[in-house]
Amino acid sequence: MPTPEQLLENVRRHAHEIDLLSTIGSTLEWDERTYLPKSGGEFRAEQITYLSGLTHQKRTAPQLGEWLGELAESPLAADLHSDPGTVIRMMQRDYEKQTRLPQSLVEELARAQVLGQQAWVESRKTNDFAAFVPFLTKNIDLRRQQAEAFGYEDHIYDALLDDYEPNERTANVARVLSALRAELAPLVAEIAASPQKPDAGLLTRLYPKAGQEAFALHAAKKVGFDFDRGRLDVTHHPFCTDLGPHDCRITTRYDERHFPGAFFGVLHEAGHGMYEQGLRAAWRGLPPGNFVSLGIHESQSRMWENFVGRSRAFWEHFYPVAQGMFLPTLADVSLEEFYFAVNDVRPSLIRVEADEATYNLHIIIRFELEQALLTGDLAPGDAAGAWREKYREYLGIEPPDDADGILQDVHWSAALIGYFPTYALGNLYAAQFYEQADADLGGLASQFAAGEFAPLLTWLNEKIHAPGQCYSASELVQNITGKPLSHEPLIRHLRNKLSPLYGL
């Protein structure tokens, strides 16, 4: 009879094989979104489908279920938050979910995701939403089947949301976002009414691609992204992916007439990357070595992008470097003018380029639309029109075309239904964590101004990265800050930063 320790080692070896298959798939997906030739999509879909089937077989192997069942009755399971206890608890949870999914559905989803993303690239390029509708319809149908297989109590959307934010519920997310919107709307209105406006045109001057890349690499390295264990490439839609314990890939896209897009995109993806690089390699492939949720993951990217990257202290350190690298573009621009410009608040069409104050309105739009798509209240063919209506209602603007409207995000082409709310949750988590870090570290602004970013990264490593999944997202927030998640720290952050700029 094997001991609990031997059973745990069996699980560890099995999880390592799952991780190997998963990261092989991630490597193929990274290549697909960066360098894959246009005609290679069909065969890549076959490769990903095959690997997804093998991975699902591993994740649902009867032997794994037996090991986990025995471990659940052992002393190793007694402490739910210990490393062994977390392995048992979280892997049992995943095993129970995965065994509800037919392998045929898993493989069909994998294939549809690859073909959907390939179709999205072309549809966005040609501004042809109609050509994308069949792929969107297929993805919605498959996710609906997945949700029914998982099962749910209140709302079909709950079953998919749980994949990204474990144990979260649609009704609770709607409540939190509603409370946030209630306080954001007056703030955005006050800013719109203010006579003080930044010269946003400073950011649409000529910023050569080579200079943008060099400056972004410099900043990402300075804040702590380890380029010995990662790299930066170009893609249609920025993302971060983990291909192994020492191989984290981040991507961006460049526009020589829009500085913020690539620069803050790199900081954002570097934030994701530093989370991956901060996970414990000794528990690689197992819950203690994995991220908590996509909301917590997003808190790391948004923290480095906005709380750090758009702070005055950050630019006190980096602006002289930027000014020297972008001559003559910034020769006549002061630090104050540039800082105000990168904190410009106004309704905009593109989510990834939205300011901190209006960003969550973009998320609320997507959250509401994908619920309607999933329930069948909105037909995929009508989604572009519904998108335009939501933008008129929530932001007072309307996209001139579908490329900058419903086709701007990659998510629905990859069937990532339930993902979008984690962005807004990430903003809330980030604000609460940052407020606590600032108090614990004795004031972050002076450190940033001096070019010292290691104290914050070390704090994040210890408090958030290293624990892995030993605590849930809500437990992590409570443990670190002593309070449950609230929208108030984010509102405080926005008012404290924006009030002096706009004279509120």
Side-chain angles (χ1 to χ4, degrees), residues 14 41 72 75 91 110 113 124 211 223 277 280 322 368 386-387 400 432:
H14 193 91
M91 288 195 69
Q113 287 174 301
R124 187 164 195 261
V223 300
Q277 291 176 344
R280 288 182 288 166
E368 294 178 354
W387 182 285
Q432 199 154 330

Side-chain angles (χ1 to χ4, degrees), residues 44-354:
R44 181 56 46 87
E46 286 189 44
Q47 293 174 310
I48 296 294
T49 300
Y50 180 70
L51 275 170
S52 296
L54 289 179
T55 305
H56 185 66
Q57 289 174 25
K58 281 286 182 185
R59 292 175 76 180
T60 58
Q63 181 69 79
L64 176 61
E66 293 173 13
W67 290 332
L68 291 170
E70 291 182 46
L71 281 167
E73 302 298 323
S74 77
L76 292 179
D79 183 351
L80 295 178
H81 301 296
S82 67
D83 289 332
T86 298
V87 170
I88 299 163
R89 172 172 52 87
M90 295 302 293
M91 288 195 69
Q92 267 202 314
R93 184 183 196 276
D94 180 71
Y95 184 82
E96 290 170 4
K97 284 188 66 172
Q98 295 305 314
T99 52
R100 296 174 191 166
L101 293 180
Q103 179 159 326
S104 58
L105 177 57
V106 171
E107 292 176 345
E108 195 174 0
L109 256 170
R111 179 175 176 79
Q113 287 174 301
V114 176
L115 297 179
Q117 289 178 84
Q118 295 288 317
W120 168 77
V121 170
E122 291 304 309
S123 293
R124 187 164 195 261
K125 191 182 301 180
T126 58
N127 186 34
D128 187 358
F129 177 67
F132 179 65
V133 168
F135 297 90
L136 177 60
T137 302
K138 179 72 169 179
N139 285 345
I140 294 296
D141 178 62
L142 291 173
R143 284 302 188 199
R144 191 178 290 125
Q145 292 180 47
Q146 183 185 46
E148 295 294 348
F150 280 152
Y152 53 90
E153 293 181 5
D154 300 320
H155 196 293
I156 188 172
Y157 192 81
D158 290 345
L160 303 184
L161 177 63
D162 185 78
D163 264 359
Y164 308 108
E165 203 67 18
N167 299 312
E168 190 55 87
R169 294 291 179 267
T170 307
N172 187 54
V173 172
R175 178 188 60 78
V176 170
L177 294 187
S178 177
L180 180 60
R181 185 185 176 203
E183 295 208 42
L184 276 179
L187 174 60
V188 172
E190 288 177 56
I191 291 171
S194 171
Q196 296 179 206
K197 304 292 183 187
D199 181 1
L202 299 176
L203 304 177
T204 57
R205 294 179 176 184
L206 180 62
Y207 293 85
K209 178 183 173 182
Q212 287 194 53
E213 183 177 16
F215 184 54
L217 285 167
H218 169 71
K221 184 176 182 179
K222 182 74 175 180
V223 300
F225 184 80
D226 185 353
F227 281 96
D228 288 334
R229 296 191 292 148
R231 58 178 288 133
L232 172 66
D233 291 280
V234 177
T235 189
H236 297 284
H237 191 92
F239 67 97
C240 169
T241 190
D242 163 48
L243 305 185
H246 305 296
D247 187 358
C248 182
R249 309 292 177 92
I250 61 175
T251 65
T252 193
R253 59 189 178 199
Y254 297 99
D255 181 344
E256 293 193 329
R257 291 289 180 177
H258 189 255
F259 171 80
F263 182 74
F264 290 107
V266 169
L267 284 185
H268 180 99
E269 302 306 338
H272 281 305
M274 287 186 284
Y275 189 177
E276 293 291 340
Q277 291 176 344
L279 295 170
R280 288 182 288 166
W283 289 96
R284 171 82 199 180
L286 293 162
N290 201 358
F291 63 88
V292 182
S293 73
L294 281 183
I296 296 297
H297 221 309
E298 193 65 19
S299 77
Q300 304 304 281
S301 59
R302 297 294 282 178
M303 184 179 296
W304 288 101
E305 175 192 357
N306 292 325
F307 291 80
V308 180
R310 295 184 195 268
S311 69
R312 191 186 190 285
F314 179 91
W315 288 107
E316 284 177 23
H317 176 73
F318 279 106
Y319 190 63
V321 179
Q323 200 168 32
M325 293 183 73
F326 297 109
L327 289 174
T329 303
L330 294 176
D332 62 340
V333 180
S334 70
L335 166 62
E336 291 302 327
E337 290 172 321
F338 188 83
Y339 169 60
F340 197 1
V342 298
N343 284 290
D344 179 32
V345 172
R346 70 182 70 195
S348 59
L349 293 172
I350 308 300
R351 173 185 63 85
V352 298
E353 297 169 3

